[in-house]
Amino acid sequence: MLLRSCLAMSAVLLMLTTVHAATEECPAKSTQMDDIIAELQKAPSCNRAMKIFEACEYGASGDVQFGTVVEKRCEGDFLSGLRAPQKKAYASQLKRCDHKYDNESGTMYRSFTAFCRAIVAQRYSQKALKAGPKSR
């Protein structure tokens, strides 16, 4: 029994180490919010902005500002090309993110909400870019 527990714990630690090693370093010149926001604003694409967000996240309420920058970057790829029903669906998905953690307290849940919203915007961006300029 003890051997199984040790093996299970070793496997979990190995997985966590592997995941952490695969994550890129934050490319901002410091971990200051303004430096990270500047780096996010320089991102050449929605996907790159999301990678930077993931690499530089605080895991707390500060991520709300980072997520807003990513959302705006991604929305530039698709928002103007959406028809009214599509805009309504997009707004509904963002609202779902906003309410997902309503019953939770703590700043990490604000971070989760920011990531949820950014992922929705990224998904719409990817779909629009895949469809090409005719649909936008």
Side-chain angles (χ1 to χ4, degrees):
M1 181 71 171
L2 182 61
L3 180 61
R4 281 188 197 163
S5 296
C6 288
L7 288 174
M9 185 62 98
S10 296
V12 169
L13 289 175
L14 180 63
M15 280 185 353
L16 291 175
T17 305
T18 304
V19 168
H20 182 68
T23 305
E24 75 175 67
E25 291 289 320
C26 179
K29 64 182 179 181
S30 77
T31 58
Q32 294 294 314
M33 185 172 284
D34 290 341
D35 291 335
I36 295 170
I37 289 173
E39 195 66 33
L40 287 166
Q41 290 172 333
K42 290 189 316 188
S45 68
C46 170
N47 287 337
R48 181 64 189 145
M50 189 60 146
K51 290 269 189 210
I52 294 168
F53 184 21
E54 291 168 346
C56 299
E57 72 174 293
Y58 288 166
S61 59
D63 291 344
V64 172
Q65 291 177 310
F66 302 154
T68 299
V69 175
V70 174
E71 273 183 67
K72 298 304 174 206
R73 172 62 191 91
C74 294
E75 286 176 350
D77 293 337
F78 67 87
L79 197 57
S80 65
L82 294 181
R83 295 184 302 265
Q86 294 166 317
K87 282 185 181 180
K88 188 174 180 180
Y90 175 62
S92 174
Q93 289 180 28
L94 292 178
K95 194 172 189 173
R96 201 171 309 139
C97 288
D98 293 340
H99 295 297
K100 188 172 184 176
Y101 302 104
D102 272 352
N103 296 325
E104 304 295 339
S105 62
T107 61
M108 72 179 181
Y109 292 104
R110 304 305 70 89
S111 174
F112 295 168
T113 299
F115 269 98
C116 180
R117 290 178 61 94
I119 289 167
V120 169
Q122 182 186 34
R123 197 174 323 123
Y124 270 77
S125 169
Q126 290 170 339
K127 186 176 176 182
L129 294 174
K130 186 180 276 189
K134 290 180 185 175
S135 66
R136 291 187 285 156

